[in-house]
Each structure stands twice: as C-alpha cells, then as structure tokens.
Amino acid sequence: MQTILRQNPLLRTTFAVLLGVYLGYYTEIANYISLPILAALAVVLLVLHYFTRGRQHDLAGGILSIASLIGGMCLVVQQFPSTQVSHFSHFLLDENETYILITFVNDNRIEGEVLEINGNRSEGKVVVYLWSLSDTSISVSDLVYADLEIRSIDQPVNPAGFNYRDYYASRGIFHQANIRKAPFVVARQYQGSLWGWFARLRSKGETLLNSTPMRDEELALAKALLLGDKNDIPDEMKQRYASTGTMHILAVSGLHLGILYLIIRSVINPFFSRFRRGLVLQSLILVIILWSYAIVVGATSSVCRAAAMFTLFEGSQLLSRRTYPVNSLCAAGLILMVFDPLSALSVGFQLSFSAVLGIIVCYRSIEKLLIIENNIGHKIWQMISVSIAAQLFTLPLAVFYFHQFPLYFWISGLVAIPLAFATLLTGFLLFAFSWIPAVVLVMGWILARITWMMNAWISFVETFPGVVLKELWIDHTQLFLLFALIGGIALFLCTRGKTALLVMIGLLCISEVYALVDKYKLTKEKELVIYANFRYPDADLFVNRHVFPLSNAVMESSRASDRYRAARRTLRQLDYSSLDGDLVIVDGLQLYSSNLEYDESFLPQSVDVVWLRSEPIVENLLHFLPLDPWIVLDGSLPPWVSKNSYERLDEAGFRVHDIRSQGAFRYKLEP
C-alpha cells in the first residue's frame, strides 16, 4: 500500500477532495468549516515538514488528506448561489427582465449565463424551458432578452424519481424558468466568444453530415460519435445500446479522444521528428487539437478528463519522466474539480473515471487469466479483458443510477468498438477534406455503411435471451459496500494472496447480510404513497412487500408508481377495487377517498387520511371531520382549487398536504 501511495502521491489527495465535494454538497458540515481552518492546517503541515525534515510521512499525509477534504468542501460551497454576492437569485422578482448569454441549445430548452436581471449586473446560470424553438433561431453565444418567472430547481416530487436538482447542479445550474413565448435575440454571437466560434464549427459539421446519404438512426449515431450531439437519438435506440452495454460509445469520452490522438500523432510525427524542437511543436499541436475537439463536442467531464490525461502524458514525454497511469488519472480529476467542483456530481464524470481506473488496475490481471497463443484469439481476449475491467468498476454506478446491468457487454463490444474506430476515422477524414466534393461523396457513403452495420449489430445482440438484468435497486450504503467488494476483487486479482481472498469473502458476507436485513425491514413496513401525478389520481398502499394499487382501474400504472414499486422490491401486486368514495381499511390503515358528495352518515368518525381527488366542498369537511386526519389534495386538482382549499383548511387547523406544491404524500404506519 505504501508503494502505491509513493508512486501515486495524488491518489490520496484526489479522493479526499472528492469526498469533500460530496460532503459539502449533500451535508451542512461545510457551514461550520471555513477557509481559516484550511489555512491553519496548511501552516501546521509546513511547520511539521520543516522541523521533521520530511520524516513524518504518515502524519503529514494525514494532515494533507484532512486539508484536501476541507478544501473540497470549500470549493463546492463557493459554487452555491447563496455564497455569490452578484448571483442573479439575489435580485429576483415575480417577473424578471433578463439578459442571457446562451451556452447550450436544445429543442425545448436553453441554458445560459444571466448577465443582467432587473437592471442589475449579475452572474449565474439558468435553464429555460420553452414550448418550441422552431420559430426562433437561437445559437450558442447569442445574447437574448426574456421575461422570466424564475424558481429554484427542487428535489424529486416522487419517491425514487429522477433527481433533476443534482443533474443540473453538476452543470452549475440551480434555477429554472418556463416561458411560452420564445426569447428575443438581442445580439448574434455576442462579444464574439470563443464558444460561439466552436459552436459554428460544430454547426458546419452537422450540415456536412446531413448532406451524406445516412438515414435517421445512422445520422443520429454519426452525430453522437463525431460531434457529441445525442439529441437526435430516439429513446428506443438509446435503450438498445444501454441493454447491450455499449452506451458509452454514444458519449464522446477517452475512447474517441484516444482514436483522434493516434490518428493525428501518426500523421504529424514523421514530419516533426526531423526537427530539433519538432517534438515540442508536435505536443503543442496535439494538445490544441484535442482540447479544441473537446470543446466542440460540449466539453463534458469525461472528454475533459481524457484531454487532461493526454496533456499530462505529452508533458511527461517532453520532460522524459516516467508516467504512472493512476497518478495521471488523479491529476486530471483534481484539475477538473479545482476548476469545476460540481462536475464531480455528474454521472458521466463518475462513470468515466471508474472505467479508466478499472482498466488501469485490473486489465493486465484479467488478461493473464487466460493464455491464448493464437494472435487473433489473443487480440480478441485483450478486447474482452478491457471490457470486463471497465464494466467491473462501473457496475455499482450502473446499478445505482440506471438500475440495470448488461450481460453481453463483452460480446457487443467485440464488433461495436472496431466499428466505432472506423466511424471516427472516416468521419475525421470527411471533415478534413470537406472542401473536396468527391471525398465527401465517398466518405459519406462509407460512413453510412459503417453506422448501419453498428446499429444492426447492436439490434442483433439485443435479441439474445436475458440480455440485461433489470429492476436492480440499491441504496447509498449498498453502493459503498459494492465498491468495497469490487476493490477486494481487484486486490485479489492483482496479488492472488490469502489476505486479499479473505477480505473479498468478508466484504461479500457483509453485503449479503445488509441486503437480507434490508429485505426483512421491508417485510415489516406498511406505507401509503399518493404520487405527484398531475393527470389523474395515483396511489399505492404497500403492505410488507405487496402492493395494493389504489388508482382508478381504467388507468395504467404511472412511471412514478412503477419506479417506486421496483425500488421497494415489491413481490406481488394484489387486486383491490377502485376507489369511488369508499373507506379502505387494510391492516389498520383507514383511508377515505372522497369525491364531490359528502354524507354525514357515511363519513367515519376515525380516519387516518382523507384523499381529495376532486374539488372539495370545504364547508362539509369543516363540519364533519375531526382535526386528527391528514387531508391530501391530489395533484390532479386544478392549481387554483388546490391553493384555495389548502389555505382554508390550513387556517381551520387541519393537517393538509398539497401534492401539487409539496410533492408526493407518504404515510408510514408503525409495525
């Protein structure tokens, strides 16, 4: 372990900063830790190093780790709107006159930097949702004006729902706005920004690809691979790639930059190697091209990580220094987190670094498990070994975020990765010689055939039986245990020692015990969930690991209910009559689901929850109901009805939950 830390001094620092970023974002610990404490630790570290002359490595390393952790928390706290004096959220009104510098454009939303709001100079990013951008031509780096009603991005309104707050926080966005009328463009290519120039370059690439004979899905695949634009990929196609374990091919990352790096290096190396300072110029050109391409495809965390690693590699080559891949990976991650600490919340960041770490740590050990003398067979086994190493380290994240795991990733990658290489090579040649019509015609035809073969291969693999394990749900503790278990497996693969084997078995036992305890707890729970569904009433009653659907029988189960049923590992769905003003009593829970009519003789004297699914007659509720039950205003009620009913019932002293404004209602019974 000491050898690993000495060879990779940034390993401990990077993980400490990463932990600090997560603690700073998800907890309130950072509110009690300030920069002076960080400065004091730095002073202690310097004094310790001076008086001990660097002999106390462990103590100094521990202090450095604590300082790095606190530094990570301070970095992420500085990104919050509340800590930025000029953030636009400090100047918000009901209607806001806003000038936005556009940084991202999609079919129904734009993202941008708020330069001015209500006459105040400001900073901070916002995402704006529109009905359509078809009538307005808005491009990256345009300056637009809009009247916006801005609000914070909230947590998920339903249990087990997608967390848009964390997703946009990883992009540095904490506020959203909805408008029906498209913004007014004040200035095209405002300030002539570098981002705007790269956006125009990307637009030219899209125009060139559109001129080729590729069909819809082939064209969408080419745009994703070459330009990082996944907007045109249909959901069915995304699901095919996800089910076969090749979704990473659609996201521009280290694979794509590595191919570009090899192509450019092989082209320019024979020329620059003749000159005395040729290698310096070669490295400079390579770095400029790689970072330019990274910006063109959107500068995501995964592609920036790859560009940073290649930059560090080129620098070490010029300095004739030996490179340690893990240290280079940590250095790239540390650079990204210093400049953009919230990027560590991105799923792409986590998957990218986990995959590369898995390849660095386990690839050689997995390859040695099977010795193949045949050259072709050995190359195939090498590709499979790389896929296994990457999938092994991304398994916990795939299960935690996507709740599924592809079983045939090692088969699909055998053909998909070489075809992706051919697609990128052909596409880069198409862009490089776009001024020659004959080359465009030939390269376009070849590109169409390659992308068709890739889509056909993925569709074929998807037909395999049991192609993917679905409905896999784990919590944060299980995520940590799964990472620890995979770390134990990696340790055993690398050392083949008894200690590593015992560690792996111990972690496996702990994980299984935790899973059994979690399932046992679910068998003792009883919970009513009324979902935030704004189209029709939607609710489930969970008793042990069974579910009683309480929605109208003619309605299909919603996405929200499907996700939460899967998250609770529901075993069976039990039939129950649809509610039409009935009293439901299941295992001690009394739920009265009421419509318009109220009957004093029918209304029970003791009830736990009153679920109002249609416009209530508040006077009847005030007259008949005791103050004990929860009154739940369903999300399908009109906004004005929910608002008025909530105000009157709350004023009368009732416990009221408005699903439209407060999200799903969850009521747990004591076992």
Side-chain angles (χ1 to χ4, degrees), residues 61 64 75 108 244 272 274 290 294 301 352 417 480 512 534 665:
L64 179 61
L75 282 173
N108 64 340
T244 55
F272 284 102
R274 302 176 184 177
L290 290 177
S301 57
S352 175
I417 292 178
F480 173 79
E512 285 298 317
F534 305 124
F665 175 78

Side-chain angles (χ1 to χ4, degrees), residues 627-654:
L627 296 179
D628 299 320
W630 273 101
I631 299 180
V632 182
L633 300 170
D634 192 73
S636 60
L637 294 174
W640 59 90
V641 172
S642 296
K643 182 179 180 181
N644 294 335
S645 301
Y646 181 88
E647 291 176 352
R648 295 189 61 185
L649 291 169
D650 181 65
E651 185 179 353
F654 285 98

Side-chain angles (χ1 to χ4, degrees), residues 395-417:
L395 168 63
L397 295 172
V399 174
F400 183 75
Y401 287 115
F402 308 116
H403 318 295
Q404 64 179 28
F405 183 73
L407 296 179
Y408 296 106
F409 62 87
W410 54 280
I411 295 179
S412 58
L414 287 177
V415 176
I417 292 178

Side-chain angles (χ1 to χ4, degrees), residues 439-505:
V439 174
V440 172
L441 184 64
V442 174
M443 291 295 108
W445 184 87
I446 296 175
L447 194 59
R449 302 285 78 78
I450 296 173
T451 51
W452 177 86
M453 284 190 290
M454 184 182 293
N455 283 333
W457 170 251
I458 296 301
S459 299
F460 172 68
V461 175
E462 193 191 23
T463 62
F464 290 7
V467 65
V468 62
L469 296 177
K470 295 184 177 180
E471 305 298 347
L472 304 175
W473 290 78
I474 58 175
D475 57 25
H476 286 87
T477 303
Q478 289 170 309
L479 174 66
F480 173 79
L481 289 174
L482 195 52
F483 264 123
L485 176 59
I486 288 173
I489 295 173
L491 182 64
F492 176 72
L493 287 174
C494 295
T495 63
R496 305 292 180 87
K498 292 183 179 180
T499 303
L501 180 61
L502 292 175
V503 169
M504 183 178 66
I505 295 174

Side-chain angles (χ1 to χ4, degrees), residues 528 530 537-541 548-553 576-586 591-595 611 613:
L528 168 69
I530 303 177
D538 187 16
D540 282 333
L541 180 61
F548 294 86
L550 303 180
S551 306
N552 193 314
Y576 204 89
S577 59
S578 60
L579 295 177
D580 291 314
D582 296 333
L583 175 67
V584 178
I585 303 178
V586 181
L591 166 69
Y592 183 73
S593 174
S594 181
N595 285 318
W611 178 21
R613 303 182 300 154

Side-chain angles (χ1 to χ4, degrees), residues 8 16 49 52 63 105 160 188 231 238 268 291 320 337 361 430 433 453 484 492 527 550 569 573 575 581 588 647:
N8 306 280
H49 180 78
T52 63
I63 296 176
V105 178
R188 297 286 183 187
N231 294 328
K238 289 181 181 179
I268 67 176
W291 279 105
S320 300
M337 285 188 290
V361 173
L430 175 67
F433 298 97
M453 284 190 290
F492 176 72
E527 182 182 25
L550 303 180
R569 276 84 77 187
Q573 177 175 321
D575 293 331
E647 291 176 352

Side-chain angles (χ1 to χ4, degrees), residues 542 545-547 564-573:
F542 295 93
R545 294 182 66 189
H546 306 309
V547 58
Y564 192 56
R565 290 175 189 177
R568 284 185 57 99
R569 276 84 77 187
T570 303
L571 293 177
R572 284 194 303 164
Q573 177 175 321

